[in-house]
Amino acid sequence: GAGVSQSPSNKVTEKGKDVELRCDPISGHTALYWYRQSLGQGLEFLIYFQGNSAPDKSGLPSDRFSAERTGGSVSTLTIQRTQQEDSAVYLCASCQGARETQYFGPGTRLLVL
Amino acid sequence: AQKVTQAQTEISVVEKEDVTLDCVYETRDTTYYLFWYKQPPSGELVFLIRRNSFDEQNEISGRYSWNFQKSTSSFNFTITASQVVDSAVYFCALRTNFGNEKLTFGTGTRLTIIP
């Protein structure tokens, strides 16, 4: 079956602009995670959605970052007023339940100039 | 707090050699899961294995094998008869059954197989 998909694959933006990153999880997966992979910080958790529960935003680095998940499926990660330190690969993962294996998408490579 | 340490930043071996990637973890939880993921140059994290804390049996899958030892908090990964396609960054990760159950990753080991 189809895996996790993310779009765009690459995004180049100017400092100060807003960006939206999209994640389509595997069909039927109720849990969705966003992670960020950067040279200095490695792979770090950003936010977690489980079903209709309120998201766990404990990993978001600043209030410029937000995410939503519509209809329990597609998720959008928004970064407002981007900064150069936001440059990273943003990875999305989904799993059938909170305690199941997380499967990752190909990521979105964000470059902020 | 959880922590995963992959002390080997980079490893290079000649094709057909065996190679072991080390992973040491820290957690206060008694119930947890350990994972290995492969990240090839394409960038996608590919799931390899999941192990729960109550199952210390070693596992073999083809050329891959995993050695889980709770006594030393280690979950090492061995590739036998390595191939060029094994070249990738390998991540060890830990997840507990509490809170948001996020994955805590090690810093990864870049494995290069020299033909």
Side-chain angles (χ1 to χ4, degrees), chain B residues 17-83:
Chain B
E17 287 185 354
D18 300 348
V19 58
T20 297
L21 309 182
D22 298 332
C23 173
V24 174
Y25 63 92
E26 295 175 31
T27 179
R28 294 180 182 175
D29 296 318
T30 56
T31 304
Y32 52 89
Y33 287 87
L34 295 163
F35 299 80
W36 276 95
Y37 285 86
K38 174 183 180 179
Q39 188 174 44
S42 60
E44 186 167 346
L45 278 168
V46 178
F47 165 73
L48 294 177
I49 189 172
R50 178 178 84 169
R51 216 70 183 132
N52 76 55
S53 53
F54 297 109
D55 183 1
E56 285 193 72
Q57 269 196 328
N58 292 331
E59 180 154 342
I60 299 174
S61 176
R63 296 183 298 105
Y64 295 171
S65 62
W66 291 269
N67 184 346
F68 176 28
Q69 292 193 340
K70 286 181 77 170
S71 60
T72 55
S73 297
S74 65
F75 186 45
N76 297 337
F77 172 30
T78 297
I79 302 175
T80 302
S82 59
Q83 300 176 2

Side-chain angles (χ1 to χ4, degrees), chain A residues 4 33 35 37 43-45 48 56 58 91 98-106 109, chain B residues 33 35 37 39 41-45 47 50 91 95 97 99-103 105-106:
Chain A
V4 178
Y33 295 78
Y35 293 85
Q37 185 175 21
L43 271 157
E44 54 181 346
F45 163 78
Y48 161 59
D56 182 330
S58 60
L91 292 162
R99 296 186 177 183
E100 299 300 319
T101 297
Q102 295 177 30
Y103 293 93
F104 284 79
R109 285 166 178 74
Chain B
Y33 287 87
F35 299 80
Y37 285 86
Q39 188 174 44
S42 60
E44 186 167 346
L45 278 168
F47 165 73
R50 178 178 84 169
F91 290 93
R95 196 201 74 207
N97 284 354
N100 59 30
E101 300 177 6
K102 66 179 182 181
L103 288 169
F105 287 91

Side-chain angles (χ1 to χ4, degrees), chain A residues 49-111:
Chain A
F49 296 89
Q50 171 57 49
N52 295 321
S53 303
D56 182 330
K57 306 177 183 179
S58 60
L60 294 179
S62 78
D63 58 8
R64 296 185 295 103
F65 287 72
S66 64
E68 63 178 20
R69 189 178 184 194
T70 53
S73 182
V74 172
S75 177
T76 302
L77 177 70
T78 301
I79 309 174
Q80 295 178 310
R81 304 181 304 281
T82 52
Q83 304 293 312
Q84 288 181 333
E85 60 262 28
D86 299 334
S87 296
V89 177
Y90 290 82
L91 292 162
C92 175
S94 72
C95 51
Q96 269 191 324
R99 296 186 177 183
E100 299 300 319
T101 297
Q102 295 177 30
Y103 293 93
F104 284 79
T108 293
R109 285 166 178 74
L110 175 65
L111 177 61

